[in-house]
Amino acid sequence: MSSFKRRTPSKQGPQGTRSCSISPSTVLTSSGIPSLDDLLGGGVPLSCSLAILAPDSHSAYGELVQKYFVAQGIANNHKVCIVHQSVLSFAKECMWIPPNRHIPIPDEDDAIQNGDKIKIAWRYEQMKKFETTVTKSADHFCDAFDLTCRIPMSVIDEAINAKRFVPLNLTTSDDLAPSVDEHLRRIQHVLATSPPSEVVRLCVANLGSPDWGRLSASDSLRFLRGLHRLLRRYPHACACISFAPHFCTDHWAGTGWIQKIGWLTDATISMSGFGANPALTTLFPSHHGLVQIQKLPAPHSIIPTSDKYSTLRGLSSSAAANIGAGENNLAFKCTRKRLIFETMHLDVEGGVTERRTTPSSTTISLDVGLVHTHVTDKTSAAGLASVAVELEEPFANAKRYSLEGHVSSQNSESGAAGMNSEKVKKGKKKVAFHSDKPDLYDF
């Protein structure tokens, strides 16, 4: 009998946590969004920090991700510490689990039993449904939150009475805000007074906003470095940090600012919304912004777990198929009930707004045999497009041949006037709009 024994975890971890697939010593907790957990390689590792960059000043996607992070912590009975100007108002705006979550949603199998299945080709019936995101989490690791539901005040009061909700308000007086060292001392006190068996979630909102005072670039980096040191000292905690919009670009502190934030955090993800550029909204009507991964967590391994286990990034499937290490383009969208990170695919060639029509059967043909071109005066009105109507070449050649035959018949003295001329096939018209932009629409 072999003496080999498989090494298994000796005890179950805290509620709402699970061990990493690559490194059993790494404990993961959910961010509240299943698709974001997939990008991170299974969740947010304890003793690590997640930075959300949202450079769009017309939206607040960074705070939205943090509200998912806080709601997941309250649902799992974790200790939640929020650093904000108005902590209670921030907590009241968090989403919550819908009351009818236990009601089963009819799936495809129920539709088959009811006879409502859509009839498709038999060769496609056994194929998996095409999906662009990850919506479900195994073992109820991530709860299904609904943006239309708000967290009940009774749940917040219960967390406050149980000392699982710690507010750290940003108080200012006479335009003098607490220093960075003061904020770090308050966070360290919360971590030191928490038992090692209790998961602590730190939520630092809008770092660099006027509520924080006049923070310089060096002060911000010193705060991130101090927070990183505290998380390594207390491995039962994790943090989610959001920044003010002007902090999320290299224009504020010079080239390499985003790279510096990535060095001082364990995971950095940029969510560039389309609010400031309406042209991008037209190009990508089904998304609200682009996702760019700056850094991924790898606490106890050389390579990030996401490189092997992420479905949305697609690196593992590309390596298995021996087609290179191509990574999928990522985007996000905010529907009425949830925030989704998904893969981005281009639309049909030419765009979904392209006009495609056939020539009308009642079109009046031109009587002149040569090619006619009518162009409006471009200088007649500023900003107006010019219109060009042009006959196709086969029709112009046919007209020219018919004119030459008509002249030769008049010169002949025989009764050639009674001959029937050859029928000429009508050609298609081509109408084009010319504008100052290099676009040409043919219809």
Side-chain angles (χ1 to χ4, degrees), residues 170-179 209-215:
L170 298 174
T171 57
T172 57
S173 60
D174 299 333
D175 297 335
L176 294 177
S179 62
S209 64
D211 298 333
W212 287 77
R214 297 182 179 180
L215 284 183

Side-chain angles (χ1 to χ4, degrees), residues 343-366:
T343 57
M344 183 185 65
H345 302 275
L346 297 178
D347 292 325
V348 296
E349 184 178 358
V352 295
T353 59
E354 183 183 7
R355 181 178 178 184
R356 299 179 180 179
T357 58
T358 57
S360 175
S361 59
T362 59
T363 302
I364 302 176
S365 60
L366 300 178

Side-chain angles (χ1 to χ4, degrees), residues 182-333:
E182 179 64 24
H183 292 305
L184 292 175
R185 280 194 294 265
R186 297 167 64 188
I187 294 175
Q188 182 179 3
H189 176 72
V190 175
L191 297 178
T193 55
S194 302
S197 59
E198 184 179 19
V199 178
V200 181
R201 290 176 178 244
L202 298 175
C203 177
V204 182
N206 285 332
L207 180 63
S209 64
D211 298 333
W212 287 77
R214 297 182 179 180
L215 284 183
S216 61
S218 59
D219 294 336
S220 303
L221 296 178
R222 188 155 53 90
F223 176 80
L224 294 177
R225 174 56 185 164
L227 183 61
H228 186 269
R229 178 178 54 85
L230 291 177
L231 293 177
R232 292 295 188 269
R233 184 177 178 182
Y234 302 96
H236 60 279
C238 60
C240 182
I241 311 167
S242 66
F243 298 84
H246 65 277
F247 260 56
C248 302
T249 58
D250 287 336
H251 301 287
W252 182 72
T255 305
W257 168 249
I258 303 300
Q259 189 176 10
K260 293 177 183 178
I261 295 178
W263 286 341
L264 297 178
T265 56
D266 296 282
T268 305
I269 295 179
S270 177
M271 301 174 61
S272 303
F274 295 156
N277 193 349
L280 294 177
T281 306
T282 306
L283 293 176
F284 307 101
S286 58
H287 301 96
H288 292 159
L290 301 178
V291 176
Q292 184 178 4
I293 299 176
Q294 307 290 343
K295 186 180 180 182
L296 289 171
H300 299 96
S301 60
I302 299 178
I303 61 174
T305 312
S306 175
D307 292 352
K308 186 175 181 181
Y309 290 99
S310 177
T311 304
L312 296 181
R313 295 183 63 199
L315 292 179
S316 58
S317 59
S318 300
N322 295 326
I323 58 176
E327 187 171 352
N328 295 331
N329 297 321
L330 301 174
F332 69 92
K333 64 180 179 181

Side-chain angles (χ1 to χ4, degrees), residues 11 23 125 150 154 156 159 185 191 210 216 232 237 259 272 293 317 326 334 342 391 395 401 404 408 435:
K11 59 181 180 178
S23 177
E125 289 183 354
R150 288 291 177 263
S154 59
I156 299 178
R185 280 194 294 265
L191 297 178
S216 61
R232 292 295 188 269
Q259 189 176 10
S272 303
I293 299 176
S317 59
C334 185
E342 62 180 5
L391 293 179
F395 177 58
Y401 295 154
E404 292 176 357
S408 60
S435 62

